Amino acid sequence: MAAGDFPAVDVCPSIGREKDTVVADMDGTLLRGRSSFPYFALVAFEVGGVLRLLFLLLLAPVAGVLYYFVSESAGIRVLIFATFAGMRVSDIESVARAVLPKFYSGDLHPESWRVFSSCGRRCVLTANPRIMVEAFLKEFLGADVVLGTEVSTYGGRATGFVKEPGVLVGKNKAEALKAAFGEALPEIALGDRHTDFPFMSLCKEGYIVPPKPEVKAVTIDKLPKPIIFHDGRLVQKPTPFLALLTILWIPVGFLLACLRIAAGALLPMPLVYYAFWALGVRVTVKGTPPPPVDKSSTQSGVLFICSHRTLLDPIFLSTALGRPIPAVTYSVSRLSEIISPIKTVRLSRDRATDAAMIKKLLREGDLAICPEGTTCREPFLLRFSSLFAELTDELVPVAMVNRMSMFHGTTARGWKGMDPFYFFMNPSPAYEVTFLNKLPQELTCGAGKSSHEVANYIQRVIAATLSYECTTFTRKDKYRALAGNDGTVVEKPRRQGMGC
């Protein structure tokens, strides 16, 4: 059959399809992009690091030649081997759950999604490894069945080879569809290339998705489930060119990050702002910060209530103020403590102990806290812990925003000690610190408001300033979604006389 035998997906009616079953290909059909290389590159980098990404990039031309001049199956086999060989299956599943959905969801084809989402039962038939796509398709697109290439494993690790019947292309797709559905085949089939025609011809209706690079992806508000939490270090989808650029930049970026971190840690805080600008780190300050508290008086220090974007929030707050502000944190790596230019105090998660610690620090001067308890990359604010509102009425909300072009400075799955390095490895990272008005006395606990009312009010004020959305999600929700745990860090006992 030829492409002309199937009408374009644009003419497929989507009304009254609740009882119909749809089966769709993935790359070039459900997704606008026809290449799966960027998603293999994401898995390669997030699990295997820069060397695995380099290995994949070196084999990509071989995969391309095989794909276009020999067979699709041969090209995809090379990508699977280069990416997965030797990887722990649990690591691949972790990346598929925490990293890939953000990139997949940003590339949904509007016409394909219109038809796919209108049907009562949804199936995806793809040449991509099932382990790589199933989490996204089922959790975020509501797919009932995912049929993909099965990767061979041994001892909990991927071998890089595929199981029989091989890569799902051409007749293999048709056979997989018949095996899954038997005689009750789907009513609608969506595909984009000639190797999809065998399975499309089995269904009552078949529609082709023509390549239209100019078509815009489905907007976030039309997704069935918003992606609030996601992980991974790479900001942009790594095309072959961006992957090469990333590999070449990492050595340079790491040296630059070390220089920036050294400047922040060794220079007096009033000079850090100017040093950052000279080193390409942009810091924008808005609003009027309060003056430092007079330590000779009995006045309590100001508690800065910050939205949480990275663990560097208190450092950039101090940079904006020109003086070091101690910060209380829920968890921070030992390395981050050592290189931090400000005092950091860990919270124990015991309410009475933490309250006593914060009160003691406020008697000594100003203090910063991020009541969300963890970071969020998307334009949402997590639930604010109300503990801070019970301890002082001297509250100044601070809205924090940052910009990164290559690397994310946060992680839920990786080692947090690298967070500041990844942030400063960006060519020109930026922070915007907005000081809001001090909380009026009549809105504090001292005036009879409950701590929850105060915390929720400050959350709404910061969200309105940033045009963010308030949520009731917590640190536990984030880590359960991304890392499969509740985010609790078990601190190892320190040896006496060691460390500082």
Side-chain angles (χ1 to χ4, degrees), residues 253-266 275-276 279 421 424:
F254 183 75
L255 293 176
L256 182 59
C258 292
L259 183 60
R260 290 165 169 172
I261 290 172
L266 300 177
F276 277 170
L279 294 171
F421 290 92
F424 284 116

Side-chain angles (χ1 to χ4, degrees), residues 20-24 121-125 144-147 173-188 202-203:
D20 289 347
T21 299
V22 61
V23 57
R121 193 174 185 212
R122 307 165 188 173
C123 171
V124 177
L125 185 56
D144 300 289
V145 180
V146 177
L147 303 174
K173 278 188 175 180
E175 293 300 323
L177 187 64
K178 287 190 288 186
F181 287 88
E183 298 298 324
L185 291 169
E187 283 77 16
I188 306 172
L202 296 176
C203 302

Side-chain angles (χ1 to χ4, degrees), residues 218-270:
V218 174
T219 55
I220 296 176
D221 58 297
K222 293 183 179 178
L223 295 176
K225 182 180 178 180
I227 295 181
I228 298 176
F229 303 123
H230 59 93
D231 204 23
R233 291 296 190 183
L234 297 180
V235 172
Q236 300 182 57
K237 186 167 65 174
T239 62
F241 175 73
L242 283 178
L244 176 61
L245 195 62
T246 300
I247 292 169
L248 295 176
W249 173 256
I250 282 178
V252 178
F254 183 75
L255 293 176
L256 182 59
C258 292
L259 183 60
R260 290 165 169 172
I261 290 172
L266 300 177
L267 292 176
M269 192 56 70

Side-chain angles (χ1 to χ4, degrees), residues 136 169 187 334 443 454 475 493 499:
F136 165 70
V169 295
E187 283 77 16
R334 184 70 175 139
L443 296 179
V454 175
R475 176 187 179 87

Side-chain angles (χ1 to χ4, degrees), residues 281-295:
V281 182
R282 300 294 175 249
V283 184
T284 304
V285 183
K286 296 183 179 181
T288 305
V293 66
D294 185 0
K295 293 187 178 181

Side-chain angles (χ1 to χ4, degrees), residues 161-174:
F161 301 106
V162 301
K163 294 180 180 179
E164 291 296 331
V167 178
L168 291 194
V169 295
K171 292 182 179 179
N172 284 349
K173 278 188 175 180

Side-chain angles (χ1 to χ4, degrees), residues 60-125:
V62 177
V65 170
L66 292 174
Y67 185 94
Y68 290 108
F69 298 105
V70 179
S71 71
E72 285 189 25
S73 176
I76 294 171
R77 283 176 184 269
V78 172
L79 291 179
I80 291 175
F81 180 82
T83 303
F84 291 150
M87 285 185 179
R88 285 196 295 264
V89 173
S90 59
D91 289 339
I92 301 170
E93 291 173 338
S94 177
V95 172
R97 181 182 63 249
V99 179
L100 297 185
K102 169 65 178 177
F103 294 93
Y104 279 137
S105 65
D107 198 34
L108 277 182
H109 194 291
E111 285 300 315
S112 301
W113 173 242
R114 174 182 63 82
V115 177
F116 189 80
S117 61
S118 68
C119 294
R121 193 174 185 212
R122 307 165 188 173
C123 171
V124 177
L125 185 56

